[in-house]
mmCIF file with all atom_site columns, all heavy atoms in Angstrom:
data_model
loop_
_atom_site.group_PDB
_atom_site.id
_atom_site.type_symbol
_atom_site.label_atom_id
_atom_site.label_alt_id
_atom_site.label_comp_id
_atom_site.label_asym_id
_atom_site.label_entity_id
_atom_site.label_seq_id
_atom_site.pdbx_PDB_ins_code
_atom_site.Cartn_x
_atom_site.Cartn_y
_atom_site.Cartn_z
_atom_site.occupancy
_atom_site.B_iso_or_equiv
_atom_site.pdbx_formal_charge
_atom_site.auth_seq_id
_atom_site.auth_comp_id
_atom_site.auth_asym_id
_atom_site.auth_atom_id
_atom_site.pdbx_PDB_model_num
ATOM 1  N N   . ILE V 1 41 ? 6.287   -2.619  -9.974  1.00 93.00 ? 41 ILE V N   1
ATOM 2  C CA  . ILE V 1 41 ? 6.912   -3.650  -9.229  1.00 93.00 ? 41 ILE V CA  1
ATOM 3  C C   . ILE V 1 41 ? 6.119   -4.963  -9.208  1.00 93.00 ? 41 ILE V C   1
ATOM 4  O O   . ILE V 1 41 ? 6.641   -5.991  -8.872  1.00 93.00 ? 41 ILE V O   1
ATOM 5  C CB  . ILE V 1 41 ? 7.081   -3.244  -7.718  1.00 93.00 ? 41 ILE V CB  1
ATOM 6  C CG1 . ILE V 1 41 ? 5.832   -2.945  -7.049  1.00 93.00 ? 41 ILE V CG1 1
ATOM 7  C CG2 . ILE V 1 41 ? 8.124   -2.031  -7.752  1.00 93.00 ? 41 ILE V CG2 1
ATOM 8  C CD1 . ILE V 1 41 ? 5.960   -2.691  -5.593  1.00 93.00 ? 41 ILE V CD1 1
ATOM 9  N N   . GLN V 1 42 ? 4.790   -4.906  -9.586  1.00 90.00 ? 42 GLN V N   1
ATOM 10 C CA  . GLN V 1 42 ? 4.096   -6.173  -9.788  1.00 90.00 ? 42 GLN V CA  1
ATOM 11 C C   . GLN V 1 42 ? 4.106   -7.042  -8.532  1.00 90.00 ? 42 GLN V C   1
ATOM 12 O O   . GLN V 1 42 ? 4.005   -8.271  -8.588  1.00 90.00 ? 42 GLN V O   1
ATOM 13 C CB  . GLN V 1 42 ? 4.544   -7.004  -10.992 1.00 90.00 ? 42 GLN V CB  1
ATOM 14 C CG  . GLN V 1 42 ? 4.512   -6.305  -12.319 1.00 90.00 ? 42 GLN V CG  1
ATOM 15 C CD  . GLN V 1 42 ? 3.055   -5.964  -12.667 1.00 90.00 ? 42 GLN V CD  1
ATOM 16 O OE1 . GLN V 1 42 ? 2.240   -6.846  -12.731 1.00 90.00 ? 42 GLN V OE1 1
ATOM 17 N NE2 . GLN V 1 42 ? 2.825   -4.762  -13.082 1.00 90.00 ? 42 GLN V NE2 1
ATOM 18 N N   . ALA V 1 43 ? 3.864   -6.368  -7.384  1.00 96.00 ? 43 ALA V N   1
ATOM 19 C CA  . ALA V 1 43 ? 3.650   -7.173  -6.108  1.00 96.00 ? 43 ALA V CA  1
ATOM 20 C C   . ALA V 1 43 ? 2.298   -7.575  -5.918  1.00 96.00 ? 43 ALA V C   1
ATOM 21 O O   . ALA V 1 43 ? 1.335   -7.010  -6.575  1.00 96.00 ? 43 ALA V O   1
ATOM 22 C CB  . ALA V 1 43 ? 4.105   -6.182  -4.906  1.00 96.00 ? 43 ALA V CB  1
ATOM 23 N N   . THR V 1 44 ? 2.173   -8.668  -5.120  1.00 96.00 ? 44 THR V N   1
ATOM 24 C CA  . THR V 1 44 ? 0.781   -9.016  -4.788  1.00 96.00 ? 44 THR V CA  1
ATOM 25 C C   . THR V 1 44 ? 0.153   -7.935  -3.872  1.00 96.00 ? 44 THR V C   1
ATOM 26 O O   . THR V 1 44 ? 0.849   -7.209  -3.225  1.00 96.00 ? 44 THR V O   1
ATOM 27 C CB  . THR V 1 44 ? 0.730   -10.406 -4.026  1.00 96.00 ? 44 THR V CB  1
ATOM 28 O OG1 . THR V 1 44 ? 1.452   -10.228 -2.838  1.00 96.00 ? 44 THR V OG1 1
ATOM 29 C CG2 . THR V 1 44 ? 1.201   -11.490 -4.837  1.00 96.00 ? 44 THR V CG2 1
ATOM 30 N N   . ARG V 1 45 ? -1.197  -7.900  -3.889  1.00 97.00 ? 45 ARG V N   1
ATOM 31 C CA  . ARG V 1 45 ? -1.800  -6.728  -3.214  1.00 97.00 ? 45 ARG V CA  1
ATOM 32 C C   . ARG V 1 45 ? -3.096  -7.270  -2.599  1.00 97.00 ? 45 ARG V C   1
ATOM 33 O O   . ARG V 1 45 ? -3.942  -7.948  -3.125  1.00 97.00 ? 45 ARG V O   1
ATOM 34 C CB  . ARG V 1 45 ? -2.210  -5.615  -4.123  1.00 97.00 ? 45 ARG V CB  1
ATOM 35 C CG  . ARG V 1 45 ? -2.966  -4.428  -3.475  1.00 97.00 ? 45 ARG V CG  1
ATOM 36 C CD  . ARG V 1 45 ? -3.271  -3.317  -4.411  1.00 97.00 ? 45 ARG V CD  1
ATOM 37 N NE  . ARG V 1 45 ? -4.390  -3.577  -5.294  1.00 97.00 ? 45 ARG V NE  1
ATOM 38 C CZ  . ARG V 1 45 ? -4.975  -2.716  -5.975  1.00 97.00 ? 45 ARG V CZ  1
ATOM 39 N NH1 . ARG V 1 45 ? -4.635  -1.323  -5.853  1.00 97.00 ? 45 ARG V NH1 1
ATOM 40 N NH2 . ARG V 1 45 ? -5.944  -2.938  -6.780  1.00 97.00 ? 45 ARG V NH2 1
ATOM 41 N N   . THR V 1 46 ? -3.361  -6.888  -1.315  1.00 98.00 ? 46 THR V N   1
ATOM 42 C CA  . THR V 1 46 ? -4.517  -7.131  -0.545  1.00 98.00 ? 46 THR V CA  1
ATOM 43 C C   . THR V 1 46 ? -5.016  -5.815  -0.018  1.00 98.00 ? 46 THR V C   1
ATOM 44 O O   . THR V 1 46 ? -4.292  -5.107  0.653   1.00 98.00 ? 46 THR V O   1
ATOM 45 C CB  . THR V 1 46 ? -4.239  -8.088  0.642   1.00 98.00 ? 46 THR V CB  1
ATOM 46 O OG1 . THR V 1 46 ? -3.714  -9.407  0.011   1.00 98.00 ? 46 THR V OG1 1
ATOM 47 C CG2 . THR V 1 46 ? -5.566  -8.434  1.299   1.00 98.00 ? 46 THR V CG2 1
ATOM 48 N N   . THR V 1 47 ? -6.310  -5.501  -0.188  1.00 98.00 ? 47 THR V N   1
ATOM 49 C CA  . THR V 1 47 ? -6.791  -4.239  0.230   1.00 98.00 ? 47 THR V CA  1
ATOM 50 C C   . THR V 1 47 ? -8.070  -4.665  1.132   1.00 98.00 ? 47 THR V C   1
ATOM 51 O O   . THR V 1 47 ? -8.917  -5.371  0.715   1.00 98.00 ? 47 THR V O   1
ATOM 52 C CB  . THR V 1 47 ? -7.324  -3.414  -0.947  1.00 98.00 ? 47 THR V CB  1
ATOM 53 O OG1 . THR V 1 47 ? -6.273  -3.175  -1.801  1.00 98.00 ? 47 THR V OG1 1
ATOM 54 C CG2 . THR V 1 47 ? -7.779  -2.070  -0.444  1.00 98.00 ? 47 THR V CG2 1
ATOM 55 N N   . ILE V 1 48 ? -7.937  -4.123  2.380   1.00 98.00 ? 48 ILE V N   1
ATOM 56 C CA  . ILE V 1 48 ? -8.960  -4.470  3.354   1.00 98.00 ? 48 ILE V CA  1
ATOM 57 C C   . ILE V 1 48 ? -9.589  -3.285  4.022   1.00 98.00 ? 48 ILE V C   1
ATOM 58 O O   . ILE V 1 48 ? -8.941  -2.304  4.268   1.00 98.00 ? 48 ILE V O   1
ATOM 59 C CB  . ILE V 1 48 ? -8.235  -5.313  4.579   1.00 98.00 ? 48 ILE V CB  1
ATOM 60 C CG1 . ILE V 1 48 ? -7.606  -6.514  3.949   1.00 98.00 ? 48 ILE V CG1 1
ATOM 61 C CG2 . ILE V 1 48 ? -9.273  -5.671  5.590   1.00 98.00 ? 48 ILE V CG2 1
ATOM 62 C CD1 . ILE V 1 48 ? -6.640  -7.191  4.916   1.00 98.00 ? 48 ILE V CD1 1
ATOM 63 N N   . GLU V 1 49 ? -10.897 -3.203  4.198   1.00 98.00 ? 49 GLU V N   1
ATOM 64 C CA  . GLU V 1 49 ? -11.543 -2.134  4.966   1.00 98.00 ? 49 GLU V CA  1
ATOM 65 C C   . GLU V 1 49 ? -11.551 -2.504  6.384   1.00 98.00 ? 49 GLU V C   1
ATOM 66 O O   . GLU V 1 49 ? -11.922 -3.596  6.732   1.00 98.00 ? 49 GLU V O   1
ATOM 67 C CB  . GLU V 1 49 ? -12.969 -1.937  4.427   1.00 98.00 ? 49 GLU V CB  1
ATOM 68 C CG  . GLU V 1 49 ? -13.625 -0.764  5.069   1.00 98.00 ? 49 GLU V CG  1
ATOM 69 C CD  . GLU V 1 49 ? -15.080 -0.514  4.496   1.00 98.00 ? 49 GLU V CD  1
ATOM 70 O OE1 . GLU V 1 49 ? -15.738 -1.395  4.215   1.00 98.00 ? 49 GLU V OE1 1
ATOM 71 O OE2 . GLU V 1 49 ? -15.408 0.705   4.410   1.00 98.00 ? 49 GLU V OE2 1
ATOM 72 N N   . ILE V 1 50 ? -11.236 -1.466  7.190   1.00 97.00 ? 50 ILE V N   1
ATOM 73 C CA  . ILE V 1 50 ? -11.223 -1.663  8.681   1.00 97.00 ? 50 ILE V CA  1
ATOM 74 C C   . ILE V 1 50 ? -11.893 -0.545  9.282   1.00 97.00 ? 50 ILE V C   1
ATOM 75 O O   . ILE V 1 50 ? -12.197 0.547   8.705   1.00 97.00 ? 50 ILE V O   1
ATOM 76 C CB  . ILE V 1 50 ? -9.871  -1.778  9.267   1.00 97.00 ? 50 ILE V CB  1
ATOM 77 C CG1 . ILE V 1 50 ? -8.968  -0.483  8.907   1.00 97.00 ? 50 ILE V CG1 1
ATOM 78 C CG2 . ILE V 1 50 ? -9.099  -2.970  8.730   1.00 97.00 ? 50 ILE V CG2 1
ATOM 79 C CD1 . ILE V 1 50 ? -7.689  -0.516  9.614   1.00 97.00 ? 50 ILE V CD1 1
ATOM 80 N N   . GLY V 1 51 ? -12.339 -0.727  10.499  1.00 96.00 ? 51 GLY V N   1
ATOM 81 C CA  . GLY V 1 51 ? -13.173 0.312   11.190  1.00 96.00 ? 51 GLY V CA  1
ATOM 82 C C   . GLY V 1 51 ? -12.447 1.624   11.604  1.00 96.00 ? 51 GLY V C   1
ATOM 83 O O   . GLY V 1 51 ? -12.941 2.695   11.624  1.00 96.00 ? 51 GLY V O   1
ATOM 84 N N   . ALA V 1 52 ? -11.102 1.399   11.909  1.00 95.00 ? 52 ALA V N   1
ATOM 85 C CA  . ALA V 1 52 ? -10.286 2.559   12.300  1.00 95.00 ? 52 ALA V CA  1
ATOM 86 C C   . ALA V 1 52 ? -8.963  2.249   12.263  1.00 95.00 ? 52 ALA V C   1
ATOM 87 O O   . ALA V 1 52 ? -8.481  1.002   12.367  1.00 95.00 ? 52 ALA V O   1
ATOM 88 C CB  . ALA V 1 52 ? -10.777 3.000   13.791  1.00 95.00 ? 52 ALA V CB  1
ATOM 89 N N   . LEU V 1 53 ? -8.060  3.228   12.261  1.00 95.00 ? 53 LEU V N   1
ATOM 90 C CA  . LEU V 1 53 ? -6.641  3.082   12.409  1.00 95.00 ? 53 LEU V CA  1
ATOM 91 C C   . LEU V 1 53 ? -6.183  3.774   13.664  1.00 95.00 ? 53 LEU V C   1
ATOM 92 O O   . LEU V 1 53 ? -6.885  4.623   14.164  1.00 95.00 ? 53 LEU V O   1
ATOM 93 C CB  . LEU V 1 53 ? -5.891  3.708   11.177  1.00 95.00 ? 53 LEU V CB  1
ATOM 94 C CG  . LEU V 1 53 ? -6.048  2.828   9.932   1.00 95.00 ? 53 LEU V CG  1
ATOM 95 C CD1 . LEU V 1 53 ? -5.783  3.630   8.651   1.00 95.00 ? 53 LEU V CD1 1
ATOM 96 C CD2 . LEU V 1 53 ? -5.274  1.572   9.889   1.00 95.00 ? 53 LEU V CD2 1
#
Side-chain angles (χ1 to χ4, degrees):
I41 62 170
Q42 299 296 308
T44 59
R45 175 178 79 162
T46 304
T47 305
I48 302 165
E49 181 177 40
I50 59 172
L53 289 163

